[in-house]
Amino acid sequence: MKNLEAKFRLSNHAEAEARASALGYTRRAVLHQRDTFFRVANGKLKLREENGSAVLIYYNRDESGPLMLSNYEIVKVADPPRTLRILAAALGPIAVVEKVRTLMMRDNVRLHLDKVARLGDWGEIEAVIAEGDDPERSRSAVDEILAALGVDKPNLIDVSYFEMLAKS
């Protein structure tokens, strides 16, 4: 699977949600997420615990600047505590990121309004790219929501939350 994504500092959570709603985005969920990242040779691997369930996510990003193309795989986890213990023992955790995410969607575009522990408020856009589809076809939808939120391209962030935590 692939997505085109952008991350940015969010100055006003409620205002961002209102602006997105005006474009037709709808609130789908409020998610309490805990992402544990592990040492791997390539890409990033995290166990995401979310509202009582969990998934394992592996992804890598093309180094294409702040508007990034990601390739990812997701698998459901039946026993999150045991999986966490096994991965921690085998690979070693490198970071834990906790956040409350408001998920909004329109068509294939997901807007995440995140309150990240120790980092504050952030926004993240993910345009999910269908198999065989050109990522450029979703760029205009990403650009549209960025403009509505008042986010200029120079204000996009090209690192993950756990990388930001490591620098703080």
Side-chain angles (χ1 to χ4, degrees), residues 6-44:
K7 185 176 296 176
F8 48 92
R9 169 74 69 187
L10 193 61
S11 60
N12 186 312
H13 188 105
E15 182 180 326
E17 187 167 355
R19 288 181 179 195
S21 293
L23 286 180
Y25 284 79
T26 57
R27 182 193 274 212
R28 295 291 176 90
V30 175
L31 307 166
H32 297 267
Q33 297 179 335
R34 177 184 165 97
D35 293 342
T36 303
F37 290 82
F38 300 94
R39 286 182 180 82
V40 291
N42 298 300
K44 293 183 172 85

Side-chain angles (χ1 to χ4, degrees), residues 10-11 22 26 30 42-43 46 50 58 66 68 91 106 108 124 127 153:
L10 193 61
S11 60
T26 57
V30 175
N42 298 300
K46 65 184 172 187
E50 176 182 274
Y58 169 77
M68 300 174 285
L91 302 173
R106 188 186 80 184
N108 69 316
E124 186 176 72
K153 295 251 165 92

